[in-house]
Amino acid sequence: MAIIGIETVRYCVEDVALCTRYFDDFGLPLDERGPDRATFLLPDNSKVILQSLADVPVEGSRLAGPGVHEVIWGVDTRSSFDRLVAGLSADRDVRIDDAGTAHFVCDDGLAMGLKVWDDHREVRTATDPVNSPGNIRRMNTHRKWIARARPKYIQHVVFMSPDVEASFVFMRDRLGFRMSDHQRLLGIFARADGTTDHHNIYFLNANAPFPGADGRLRFHHVNYAVTDLDEIMVGKNYMERKGWDRSIWGVGRHRIASSLFLYLPAPTGGEAEYGADSDAIDDNWIPRSWEPLFGIAHWMHEMPAFWSQGADWDVGFVASLAPSRGSVAPDDPTLSLPVAQGRHPDDAETGQASTLPRELRNAAR
Ligand SMILES: [Fe+2]
């Protein structure tokens, strides 16, 4: 185990004051505020930093436009930190600042960092029991009422990448991430080795016909985890009362990760997502290979036109990553990543070249 979550997301935005008001209304706890910078501190001691787009946080970043320009990953121990930094330093500059955070740029141009997360706090939440016909879990007891959504931690961050597979392979081979799922044509979900989140990062194909995708490396959204559907809806209503733009899709549930979602347009660029009730997975999980529209949702409140005809029920396992009887099953036509593919930097020496998922390769042309 090494990376245990997202310790900081650093936004570079056009209007720091406006974005500060947005995240205050969104429910993030404001910690520090200055004329050109604001910091929010979440219950797990992760940070959301807002600063001006004029300040490039890491030299060499190739991210276009506003949004999250740097993700700092929290690391469990000093020895894990030293091992990861030593590996990264083999072929790139790694700058360690006064606070001990290591900053670097990934092969795809994303700026990231590593920090020993010694003040990481466990988050505790309580869900209400759910009644269903013939199945009483709350007798003479109503559900709890809350006044505001209060995100608990930063669950994942999403970037549009012109080379999804290369972006993923770097995270896998250099930072110990695992593939969670493959959404054919659209992208790859990946989880840090020290978390049970379905994914902590998603690389969305920048060449796919997706809103905002223009072939360039861009920020897409951050997911802020809340407790349940009620907290999502309380947050939604509050943001609307404050005059912020409404979500296009409304509330929905992804089929991939089973997670409830609400994407809100944000003045930071991209979107801010309230998320709840995601699948939790560990190294026993076998990644799925999803038909993209089938995977995108189980249901959505404001069904977009592209989803009006539904989708083919098409999901399987990524066969090259599934247990087999001694050989790699050849029957997955969409993904051909090698099976012994670096579960961790310590065992990344497979000697096998990574190969691009064929459909993603075609889509990238
Ligand atoms: Fe998300």
Side-chain angles (χ1 to χ4, degrees), residues 156 158 199 221 223 263 273:
H156 64 252
V158 176
H199 57 284
H221 73 264
N223 175 293
Y263 299 99
E273 179 185 13

Side-chain angles (χ1 to χ4, degrees), residues 166-225:
S167 292
F168 163 68
V169 166
F170 181 89
M171 301 300 292
R172 183 194 72 189
D173 293 350
R174 310 302 292 274
L175 296 172
F177 279 61
R178 282 76 158 119
M179 179 188 291
S180 305
D181 279 314
H182 173 216
Q183 190 174 17
R184 301 193 294 260
L185 295 167
L186 280 187
I188 294 177
F189 298 83
R191 173 180 65 85
D193 60 345
T195 83
T196 52
D197 297 313
H198 175 272
H199 57 284
N200 303 110
I201 196 163
Y202 177 56
F203 292 109
L204 175 60
N205 182 1
N207 294 293
F210 210 80
D214 62 359
R216 303 178 69 187
L217 183 70
R218 287 187 181 276
F219 167 69
H220 193 269
H221 73 264
V222 171
N223 175 293
Y224 295 94

Side-chain angles (χ1 to χ4, degrees), residues 28 95 99 115 186 190 193 230 262 271 283 325 337 358:
L28 302 188
R95 178 180 64 85
K115 181 180 183 182
L186 280 187
D193 60 345
D230 296 86
L262 176 73
E271 295 168 324
D283 284 352
R325 289 172 295 180
L337 291 169
R358 279 192 288 275

